[in-house]
């Protein structure tokens, strides 16, 4: 980031906080309904430091990330492997398509009741919601990536002596579909992170950023609620950065690929 | 020269549900170790013929036999160099060239040595770690050539492999090709639009009619190698083929 961008960055965040602060004091002025940045920022610090009884933000972040990884890794494994097969074998795709199209429009949140009934209030129940939310972007992008591979690359592999299906998969299909898969990974991760919050709001575990938002509301502490909201945004931003960096480093062979 | 190496018998091919007649009853024998050029107007069906020999396309009538056995699909005994290169964009120059060696299960060290030799041959030293999108058209073509040559197949099928090169590089690559060919005794079937190139390289030049392609004339090139492009016999043969084509 150069100096000019840094100035724009600070100005952007600063004006957002300023408008929020002014709005609070003119229109709300009630600490049980909303909190201004001047209150949120100290609370945020206290939550990070563990100064507030019953709230320790780093621990909640770890729990949320735990839920996220539990559901997301399964979604990646399933989405990628099924996507490879369905992308390559058109018959498998045709078989899966109606099922996918039926389930996909159901919002992950709508699965929460059934997930709690089936799995009780457990970490697995949270992971299940996250799985449901993130598996489809990964699956569909992988299918798209495989089915849009240009035929000439397969032919080149064949004529250069690749006789085994395994070689074609490992040396052509997987690398060629990597860009689409990584896009699916990034989009899926975003959905997964949103699902973490939704699942935790329903109390599947007693720790987690999402759960503490709900708890903050019960305590009538909007400063806590907003602090946790900000934490969710910040962690989500970091996750997105990680996947973008991963994307840029893995698919650097693509012409005109830009990270920013 | 042995008989019954590559035999093309009554080969016909249509595209578009039988609407586009591409190959019309082609009969051709290619001998082991021979350098044969295919010459014909654009769109006549040369690439199609090469693809059928490579096993990437099915004919509608007739057959192609290699050493008595019918060709039904791709095989490690034949390697094709594509007109549009088809380099793997996710592999570097070195990675592309190593591909054929990897699938042949050649040990890494030896494969690297072989690849390095061919990189030198096609003048791509220093570009080993470049990706295809970072190369010029001519450089891509040279990678495609090296990628096929390392496979060391019995038959090389080359679809205008030097078309994108400048005259100087092309001439140099032509002499290299003749050198490799005579050193390794490969059989090469070579599609080109350049009469000069055909005469310079080949033992025989097969001239096709416009689509649907039929063998119009087969011209034997009896000039001893290395050939002088400006010798009288060379120029005369060029003129003779030129007349056949037009
Ligand atoms: N997959 C296909 N489907 C339909 N038509 C095709 C297909 N491939 C080639 N053709 C047609 O077959 C004819 C022969 O094509 P081919 O590529 O073999 O010609 P060519 O002799 O290699 O031409 P050029 O010298 O321009 O490369 C052309 O008219 C082309 O339009
Ligand atoms: Mg062609």
């Amino acid at each position: 980031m150069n100096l000019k961008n840094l100035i724009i960055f600070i100005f952007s965040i600063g004006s957002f906080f300023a408008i929020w602060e002014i709005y609070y004091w003119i229109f709300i002025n009630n600490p049980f309904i909303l909190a201004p940045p001047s209150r949120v920022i100290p609370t945020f610090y206290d939550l990070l430091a563990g100064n507030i009884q019953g709230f320790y933000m780093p621990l909640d972040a770890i729990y949320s990330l735990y839920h996220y990884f539990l559901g997301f890794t399964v979604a990646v494994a399933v989405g990628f492997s099924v996507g490879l097969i369905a992308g390559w074998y058109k018959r498998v795709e045709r078989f899966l398509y109606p099922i996918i199209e039926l389930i996909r429009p159901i919002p992950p949140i709508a699965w929460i009741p059934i997930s709690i009934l089936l799995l009780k209030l457990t970490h697995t129940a949270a992971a299940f919601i996250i799985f449901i939310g993130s598996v489809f972007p990964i699956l569909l992008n992988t299918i798209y990536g495989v089915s849009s591979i240009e035929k000439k690359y397969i032919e080149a592999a064949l004529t250069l002596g690749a006789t085994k299906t395994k070689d074609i998969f490992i040396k052509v299909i997987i690398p060629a579909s990597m860009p689409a898969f990584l896009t699916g990974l990034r989009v899926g991760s975003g959905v997964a992170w949103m699902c973490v919050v939704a699942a935790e709001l329903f109390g599947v575990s007693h720790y987690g950023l999402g759960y503490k938002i709900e708890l903050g509301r019960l305590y009538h502490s909007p400063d806590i609620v907003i602090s946790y909201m900000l934490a969710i945004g910040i962690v989500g931003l970091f996750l997105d950065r990680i996947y973008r960096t991963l994307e840029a480093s893995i698919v650097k062979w693509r012409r005109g690929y830009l990270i920013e | 020269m042995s008989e019954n190496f590559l035999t093309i018998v009554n080969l016909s091919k249509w595209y578009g549900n039988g609407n586009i007649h591409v190959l019309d009853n082609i009969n051709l024998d290619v001998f082991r170790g021979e350098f044969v050029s295919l010459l014909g107007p654009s769109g006549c069906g040369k690439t199609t013929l090469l693809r059928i020999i490579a096993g990437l396309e099915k004919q509608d009538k007739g057959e192609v036999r290699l050493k008595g056995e019918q060709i039904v699909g791709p095989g490690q005994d034949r390697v094709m160099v594509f007109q549009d290169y088809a380099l793997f964009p996710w592999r570097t120059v070195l990675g592309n060239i190593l591909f054929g060696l990897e699938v042949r299960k050649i040990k890494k060290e030896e494969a690297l040595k072989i690849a390095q030799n061919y990189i030198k041959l096609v003048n791509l030293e220093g570009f080993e770690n470049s990706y295809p999108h970072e190369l010029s058209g001519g450089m891509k073509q040279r990678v495609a050539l090296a990628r096929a040559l390392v496979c060391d197949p019995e038959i090389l099928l080359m679809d205008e492999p030097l078309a994108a090169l400048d005259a100087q590089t092309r001439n140099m690559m032509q002499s290299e090709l003749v050198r490799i060919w005579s050193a390794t005794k490969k059989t090469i079937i070579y599609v080109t639009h350049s009469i000069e190139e055909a005469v310079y390289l080949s033992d025989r030049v097969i001239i096709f009619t416009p689509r649907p392609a039929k063998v119009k004339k087969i011209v034997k090139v009896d000039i001893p190698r290395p050939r002088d492009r400006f010798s009288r016999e060379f120029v005369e043969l060029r003129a003779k083929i030129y007349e056949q084509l037009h």
Side-chain angles (χ1 to χ4, degrees):
Chain A
M1 220 191 284
N2 59 32
L3 188 65
K4 208 167 128 200
N5 285 346
L6 187 69
I7 291 170
I8 294 174
F9 176 81
I10 291 168
F11 189 69
S12 159
I13 298 282
S15 52
F16 174 67
F17 276 28
I19 290 167
W20 173 9
E21 185 82 34
I22 293 166
Y23 176 87
Y24 174 83
W25 291 111
I26 295 180
F27 295 103
I28 311 286
N29 202 2
N30 177 348
F32 296 106
I33 300 180
L34 195 68
S38 59
R39 200 192 304 278
V40 170
I41 292 166
T43 304
F44 192 95
Y45 173 79
D46 285 337
L47 290 167
L48 267 182
N51 295 340
I52 299 173
Q53 172 95 58
F55 294 88
Y56 183 43
M57 196 185 266
L59 187 66
D60 292 311
I62 288 170
Y63 267 94
S64 288
L65 285 169
Y66 170 64
H67 293 151
Y68 163 86
F69 280 112
L70 209 60
F72 190 56
T73 43
V74 179
V76 172
V78 171
F80 184 58
S81 51
V82 176
L84 279 184
I85 294 166
W88 188 243
Y89 299 103
K90 286 293 137 196
R91 226 171 268 169
V92 178
E93 187 187 0
R94 270 191 294 264
F95 171 79
L96 287 177
Y97 199 68
I99 305 173
I100 294 174
E101 285 309 294
L102 180 68
I103 297 178
R104 199 166 64 103
I106 304 172
I109 301 168
W111 286 82
I112 291 178
I114 210 71
S115 161
I116 291 177
L117 288 175
L118 271 173
L119 301 162
K120 311 285 182 305
L121 290 173
T122 57
H123 299 303
T124 322
F128 179 73
I129 304 303
I130 291 147
F131 168 80
I132 291 284
S134 54
V135 74
F136 291 111
I138 299 169
L139 176 64
L140 292 174
N141 272 285
T142 309
I143 292 179
Y144 168 76
V146 174
S147 40
S148 57
I149 295 174
E150 282 185 72
K151 209 175 112 209
K152 66 177 180 188
Y153 299 127
I154 310 285
E155 290 184 342
L158 288 172
T159 191
L160 289 168
T163 47
K164 296 199 198 75
T165 313
K166 190 190 110 198
D167 276 345
I168 305 263
F169 258 91
I170 291 179
K171 292 182 193 295
V172 181
I173 294 171
I174 292 179
S177 56
M178 214 18 80
F181 164 71
L182 289 171
T183 302
L185 198 70
R186 187 161 50 77
V187 174
S189 162
V191 178
W193 188 239
M194 291 188 189
C195 291
V196 168
V197 178
E200 288 174 356
L201 275 177
F202 278 74
V204 292
S205 100
H206 289 288
Y207 296 96
L209 300 171
Y211 178 71
K212 290 297 160 67
I213 287 183
E214 176 63 4
L215 209 60
R217 183 187 71 81
L218 291 174
Y219 287 7
H220 291 280
S221 306
D223 53 337
I224 293 183
V225 172
I226 294 170
S227 294
Y228 272 97
M229 286 170 65
L230 287 176
I232 289 163
I234 291 166
V235 175
L237 187 76
F238 267 107
L239 288 173
D240 189 70
R241 283 282 125 171
I242 291 171
Y243 291 109
R244 277 181 196 277
T245 312
L246 191 74
E247 236 174 306
S249 68
I250 292 183
V251 296
K252 59 179 178 294
W253 50 267
R254 278 181 109 190
R255 173 165 235 162
Y257 186 86
L258 296 171
I259 181 169
E260 310 256 26
Chain B
M1 288 209 179
S2 71
E3 296 295 316
N4 290 334
F5 188 62
L6 185 80
T7 324
I8 300 170
V9 190
N10 298 333
L11 196 74
S12 292
K13 171 83 184 171
W14 286 264
Y15 276 123
N17 298 320
N19 291 324
I20 308 166
H21 195 179
V22 183
L23 301 177
D24 186 11
N25 202 36
I26 309 261
N27 284 283
L28 182 67
D29 281 327
V30 177
F31 306 110
R32 184 194 289 277
E34 195 178 20
F35 200 128
V36 171
S37 286
L38 311 183
L39 207 57
S42 178
C44 77
K46 303 177 297 293
T47 297
T48 306
L49 178 58
L50 224 53
R51 286 173 57 83
I52 292 175
I53 301 172
L56 296 172
E57 200 90 59
K58 293 254 177 299
Q59 67 271 30
D60 294 301
K61 276 195 192 145
E63 57 182 30
V64 183
R65 282 197 300 264
L66 179 59
K67 292 191 274 188
E69 265 186 63
Q70 199 173 329
I71 288 173
V72 290
Q76 296 195 336
D77 46 9
R78 286 154 286 142
V79 168
M80 177 156 171
V81 182
F82 294 95
Q83 198 167 0
D84 63 350
Y85 327 132
L87 298 180
F88 302 123
W90 55 87
R91 284 184 168 234
T92 59
V93 166
L94 181 65
N96 266 280
I97 295 173
L98 283 173
F99 187 93
L101 301 168
E102 287 172 18
V103 297
R104 281 173 178 76
K105 302 273 174 284
I106 290 172
K107 283 215 194 69
K108 185 127 200 192
E109 262 172 51
E110 201 193 333
L112 273 173
K113 229 179 348 191
I114 299 172
Q116 216 55 55
N117 273 339
Y118 281 93
I119 286 171
K120 210 177 295 165
L121 176 76
V122 297
N123 253 326
L124 281 170
E125 286 162 299
F127 291 94
E128 289 88 346
N129 297 320
S130 301
Y131 284 94
H133 77 260
E134 299 166 322
L135 305 177
S136 74
M139 291 161 89
K140 285 183 206 167
Q141 202 154 46
R142 283 179 275 153
V143 178
L145 199 62
R147 182 175 78 161
L149 290 172
V150 291
C151 295
D152 195 27
E154 284 192 74
I155 303 185
L156 270 163
L157 306 163
M158 304 188 151
D159 201 352
E160 306 188 31
L162 308 183
L165 304 184
D166 62 279
Q168 207 179 343
T169 316
R170 189 185 313 137
N171 284 359
M172 188 205 83
M173 290 302 298
Q174 285 169 357
S175 356
E176 274 309 323
L177 214 54
V178 169
R179 195 186 60 71
I180 292 166
W181 168 77
S182 35
T184 57
K185 281 291 144 211
K186 301 245 156 300
T187 307
I188 298 183
I189 304 179
Y190 192 99
V191 172
T192 176
H193 274 126
S194 155
I195 301 173
E196 181 191 303
E197 183 169 68
V199 174
Y200 182 81
L201 294 172
S202 0
D203 294 318
R204 282 189 299 157
V205 181
I206 321 292
I207 301 167
F208 289 99
T209 63
R211 187 174 67 80
K214 278 193 282 263
V215 177
K216 186 179 185 188
K217 177 105 183 156
I218 298 181
V219 179
K220 227 171 142 46
V221 187
D222 267 334
I223 310 169
R225 295 182 176 91
R227 290 170 183 165
D228 174 5
R229 294 164 208 272
F230 300 104
S231 71
R232 230 187 78 198
E233 39 185 353
F234 194 101
V235 176
E236 274 173 8
L237 202 59
R238 264 181 70 175
K240 186 179 154 196
I241 293 173
Y242 182 86
E243 260 162 45
Q244 285 294 337
L245 261 174
H246 293 82

